[in-house]
């Protein structure tokens, strides 16, 4: 290391950046004084302040992973049209902010057809950008890729991003292993493992054994002496292949390139609007982990979205639509098989069964 | 090194912008990025990953660098050390381009020049630094006023919605509170000393655009008390524009507590005491309806993703708290400290606060953090009759019946007061 003594590197604990210097002047001036907003067209919002001032937001889908040059291209657009101000959203959309209505169309043209080639959309009842994790580009645990699989999926869904033709907003997320770092969503793609971890006994001392025993949710891991060395053993019957141990200890390999599959979960939402937040439920399992374009996943998501678009009522999220029509009908209209694996077996299983005579016959 | 990415090349077609196209072009400037793409292509070929996780810290900090070593370093020498540095984002992810360019420039000067805007915890992620560069990029960015994000068993970088900067629905200043909590607790963010990670996410209203309920240990959600604001003139305009049937189907019948009805004169009748502030009617008729004027926050606790006990959703802990003045912020700070003290004293290794509540029980948790039980914390009271009523049970010591025996965690003076009552 050069020129990096500990004295120089002493922590400065500066905290969060000053948001005020990063706010468009119209937003700063009207901070806390907004009156209403309207959706001008898909991808364009206008927020109107109490004093009548307006700020237009042009939302564009970004690939999240960007080169420094691409970030500079984004900055150039913001400098040209937005007085140099922009923001990003929870789902990695980039939002260009303008205070002059006449700049909207030129900005859209430049974002869509210039060097960025970002689609404009993602507002209102559309399919927004897909939230995702690191995948094979940088994570140490992934069973699948994130950025690439999401790019392939969004190629399938781009018209649903650019239009507002769904009953309500659709959030999709994609996680590259069973730990599910990605977010809850109306539709979510998750890796599933199908074997207990393979233990590299010769390498076990690289992790702390009590930790890897403690992390196991089902107490399937026990300390054991193997070949005269401290190691662990896994009770295969208890193990449910979650991969928690793998996150703790690289010597316990949960992934399998040949047998890992993908599953799709539906009906999660974090918003409290109309109905409380809901967890996602299993829709489809056993889809192949099929790079570079994962066509089976795209097809399954397309099937769900088409059925939702056809059957959902205005303002119903995916989960609310399914609860209204019933899960039996969800499996009918999507054509996905309902199997024994769709029946809950966790500690709240009893609460998930139909404890009534109410069925559609 | 020549690019050899036949599988990744298939991600260059299609309408969505391709990170492959971007990074391939950028690899002309940065050969290291070409090596990254080549390794990624091998991952696609073999459905396998070649990164090993390890630990690296900027001196003085205990987190914020996600260290990665490539298993294919002999083939791709520039990936031998390829770390991510997490940087705390401006609250609400707002940027002026001069600040955003600082990130791009520092990322390119010291590392691979790859940025992720943003990570699932909200951080700016800068990719591709070796051990030395991780220090130098941190140093350079800190000189420009940036700071390092959280990782490990620490307070994690906070994330909030755009809030009052550009939303009429935000019931409190999410950006200000995010900056306040970040700055107040920055020590816990930089130096992991918790049993496991702890995340705040802040949303201005129940629509929860910051994904707080399921992705944070303490979701702080804007709300109000008293009546929401109803502009009956604008209600009439809306009914006239959309028709009665539309309003009945999409506003009236979607109210979760059926506290809203459409009157014959096309105005709304609202039984405000039954409103649960879900935001639906306001979302639909946002010119006619607004949150009430007496605004504050609801604090939940224990949302998180899958590991270890499955997904959890935030549990209602504080139904309403004002969060405007410095005194209000102090109250929040003090509340957070009580939660952390009880959780860290009693939580197990790798036990998130939601898992801790599930293990010890909500009533024990409430007693531990000094909060009285409230019917709003549950969907319904218990249905299991097997209860140890401590007030009515025989004393553990003398065998005498007591009306108010000591509860395990009560302060001595409280116990004396209880004994005096007997």
């Amino acid at each position: 290391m050069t020129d990096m003594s500990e004295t120089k590197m002493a922590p400065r604990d500066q905290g969060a950046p000053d948001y005020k210097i990063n706010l468009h002047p119209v937003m700063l001036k009207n901070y806390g004084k907004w009156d209403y907003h309207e959706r001008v067209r898909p991808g364009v919002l206008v927020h109107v302040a109490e004093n009548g001032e307006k700020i237009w937001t042009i939302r564009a889908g970004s690939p999240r992973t960007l080169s420094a040059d691409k970030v500079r291209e984004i900055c150039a657009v913001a400098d040209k049209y937005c007085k140099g101000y922009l923001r990003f959203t929870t789902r990695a959309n980039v939002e260009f902010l303008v205070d002059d209505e006449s700049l909207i169309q030129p900005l859209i043209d430049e974002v869509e057809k210039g060097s960025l080639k970002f689609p404009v959309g993602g507002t209102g009842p559309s399919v927004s950008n897909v939230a995702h994790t690191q995948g094979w580009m940088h994570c140490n645990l992934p069973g699948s890729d994130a950025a690439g699989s999401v790019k392939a999926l969004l190629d399938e869904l781009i018209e649903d991003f650019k239009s507002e033709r769904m009953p309500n907003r659709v959030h999709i997320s994609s996680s590259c292993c069973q730990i599910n770092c990605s977010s809850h969503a109306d539709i979510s793609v998750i890796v599933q493992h199908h074997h207990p971890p393979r233990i590299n006994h010769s390498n076990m001392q690289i992790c702390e054994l009590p930790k890897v025993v403690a992390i196991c949710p089902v107490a399937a891991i026990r300390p054991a002496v193997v070949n005269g060395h401290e190691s662990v053993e896994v009770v295969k019957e208890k193990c449910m292949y979650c991969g928690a141990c793998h996150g703790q200890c690289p010597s316990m390999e949960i992934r399998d390139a040949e047998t890992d599959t993908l599953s799709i979960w539906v009906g999660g939402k974090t918003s409290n609007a109309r109905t409380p937040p809901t967890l996602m439920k299993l829709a489809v399992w056993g889809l192949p982990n099929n790079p570079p374009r994962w066509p089976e996943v795209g097809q399954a998501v397309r099937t769900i979205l088409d059925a939702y678009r056809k059957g959902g009522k205005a303002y119903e999220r995916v989960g609310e639509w399914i609860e209204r029509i019933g899960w039996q009908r969800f499996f009918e209209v999507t054509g996905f098989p309902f199997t024994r694996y769709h029946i809950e077996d966790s500690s709240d299983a009893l609460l998930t069964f139909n404890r009534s005579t109410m069925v559609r016959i | 090194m020549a690019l050899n990415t036949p599988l990744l090349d298939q991600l260059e077609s299609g309408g969505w912008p391709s990170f492959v196209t971007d990074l391939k072009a950028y690899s002309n400037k940065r050969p290291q990025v070409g090596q990254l793409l080549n390794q990624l292509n091998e991952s696609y070929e073999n459905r396998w990953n070649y990164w090993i996780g390890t630990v690296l810290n900027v001196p003085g900090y205990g987190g914020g660098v996600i260290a990665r070593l490539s298993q294919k370093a002999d083939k791709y020498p520039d990936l031998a050390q390829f770390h991510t540095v997490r940087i705390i984002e401006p609250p609400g992810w707002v940027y002026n381009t001069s600040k955003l360019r600082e990130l791009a420039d520092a990322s390119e000067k010291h590392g691979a020049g790859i940025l992720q805007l943003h990570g699932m915890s909200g951080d700016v992620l800068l990719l591709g630094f070796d051990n030395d560069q991780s220090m130098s990029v941190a140093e350079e960015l800190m000189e420009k006023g940036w700071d390092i994000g959280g990782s490990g068993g620490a307070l994690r970088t906070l994330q909030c919605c755009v809030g009052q900067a550009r939303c009429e629905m935000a019931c409190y200043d999410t950006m200000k509170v995010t900056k306040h909590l970040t700055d107040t607790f920055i020590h816990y963010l930089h130096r992991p000393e918790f049993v496991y990670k702890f995340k705040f996410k802040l949303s201005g209203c129940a629509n929860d655009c910051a994904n707080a309920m399921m992705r944070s240990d303490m979701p702080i959600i804007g709300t109000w008390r008293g009546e929401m604001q109803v502009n009956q003139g604008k209600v009439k305009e809306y009914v006239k524009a959309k028709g009665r049937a539309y309003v009945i189907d999409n506003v009236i019948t979607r109210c979760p507590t059926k506290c809203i009805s459409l009157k014959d004169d096309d105005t709304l009748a609202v039984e405000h005491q039954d409103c649960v502030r879900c935001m639906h009617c306001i979302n639909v008729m946002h010119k006619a309806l607004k949150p009430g004027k007496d605004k504050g926050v609801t604090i939940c606790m224990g949302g998180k993703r899958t590991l270890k006990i499955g997904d959890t959703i935030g549990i209602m802990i504080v139904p309403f708290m004002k969060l405007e003045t410095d005194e209000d912020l102090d109250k929040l700070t003090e509340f957070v400290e009580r939660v952390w003290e009880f959780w860290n004293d009693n939580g197990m290794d790798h036990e998130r606060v939601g898992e801790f509540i599930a293990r010890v029980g909500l009533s024990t948790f409430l007693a531990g953090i000094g909060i009285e039980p409230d019917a709003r914390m549950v969907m319904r009271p218990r249905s299991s009759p097997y209860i140890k009523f401590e007030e009515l049970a025989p004393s553990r010591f003398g065998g005498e019946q007591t009306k108010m025996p000591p509860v395990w965690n009560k302060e001595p003076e409280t116990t004396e007061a209880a004994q005096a009552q007997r």
Side-chain angles (χ1 to χ4, degrees), chain B residues 168-198:
Chain B
E168 72 276 14
M169 304 196 186
C171 292
Y172 75 108
D173 189 343
T174 55
M175 289 186 177
K176 180 183 164 190
V177 177
T178 296
K179 178 148 178 65
H180 169 80
L181 288 172
T182 305
D183 296 357
T184 305
F185 294 124
I186 193 75
H187 176 85
Y188 297 97
L189 200 147
H190 286 155
R191 285 162 279 281
E193 54 181 83
F194 294 163
V195 292
Y196 202 23
K197 66 181 84 163
F198 193 95

Side-chain angles (χ1 to χ4, degrees), chain B residues 58-314:
Chain B
V58 175
Y61 292 80
V65 181
I66 313 302
R68 294 280 181 265
L69 312 175
S70 172
Q71 288 176 324
K72 291 192 165 283
D74 51 340
K75 200 166 169 188
Y76 308 120
D78 292 347
L79 306 182
Q81 299 164 351
F82 198 84
H83 314 317
T84 287
V85 176
R86 286 181 174 165
I87 298 292
I88 300 176
E89 81 287 4
W93 301 293
V94 290
Y95 291 94
N96 70 46
T97 48
S98 66
K99 296 306 287 181
L100 190 53
R101 284 174 199 275
E102 283 177 6
L103 295 173
D105 292 349
S107 155
E108 183 170 274
K109 182 174 162 193
H110 300 281
I114 299 173
L115 299 91
Q116 290 177 332
L117 302 167
H118 296 81
M120 294 302 299
S121 289
D123 300 90
V124 180
L125 306 177
L126 309 178
L127 269 63
F129 303 91
D130 68 19
N131 293 356
D132 284 354
Q133 290 163 339
S134 299
M135 310 302 149
S136 51
V137 75
E139 173 74 2
E140 177 170 333
L141 286 174
M142 284 192 289
E143 275 174 10
K144 295 180 190 300
W146 298 93
D147 203 351
I148 296 173
S151 64
L155 171 62
R156 293 300 186 85
T157 308
L158 285 77
Q159 156 172 325
C160 70
C161 70
V162 72
Q164 294 180 336
R166 200 204 53 201
C167 184
E168 72 276 14
M169 304 196 186
C171 292
Y172 75 108
D173 189 343
T174 55
M175 289 186 177
K176 180 183 164 190
V177 177
T178 296
K179 178 148 178 65
H180 169 80
L181 288 172
T182 305
D183 296 357
T184 305
F185 294 124
I186 193 75
H187 176 85
Y188 297 97
L189 200 147
H190 286 155
R191 285 162 279 281
E193 54 181 83
F194 294 163
V195 292
Y196 202 23
K197 66 181 84 163
F198 193 95
K199 296 183 179 182
F200 291 100
K201 293 196 193 322
L202 296 83
S203 284
C205 77
N207 285 318
D208 196 6
C209 290
N211 269 358
M213 286 299 279
M214 279 133 154
R215 288 198 53 87
S216 68
D217 299 279
M218 197 183 284
I220 301 178
I221 313 279
T223 190
W224 66 92
R225 59 186 168 190
E227 302 185 354
M228 70 171 167
Q229 302 178 63
V230 182
N231 182 329
Q232 297 288 11
K234 292 207 167 145
V235 171
K236 282 186 183 176
E237 278 174 28
Y238 188 84
V239 177
K240 199 172 170 198
K242 289 286 194 176
R244 290 179 64 82
Y246 181 91
V247 174
I248 290 168
D249 283 351
N250 292 299
V251 182
I252 310 299
T253 62
R254 297 204 188 282
C255 172
T257 59
K258 311 285 175 264
C259 73
I260 194 165
S261 56
L262 185 63
K263 294 204 287 193
D264 289 341
D265 64 354
D266 287 351
T267 61
L268 287 181
V270 185
E271 292 166 37
H272 291 282
Q273 74 278 8
D274 284 337
C275 174
V276 289
R277 289 134 178 95
C278 85
M279 295 299 294
H280 174 74
C281 61
I282 298 177
N283 290 341
V284 180
M285 303 174 70
H286 52 260
K287 283 185 187 170
L289 307 177
K290 288 182 191 307
K293 288 183 171 167
D294 189 5
K295 297 178 168 75
V297 298
T298 288
I299 300 176
C300 297
M301 218 169 286
K304 61 173 276 296
R305 210 61 171 89
T306 310
L307 285 182
K308 299 187 305 187
I309 65 168
D311 302 38
T312 58
I313 303 174

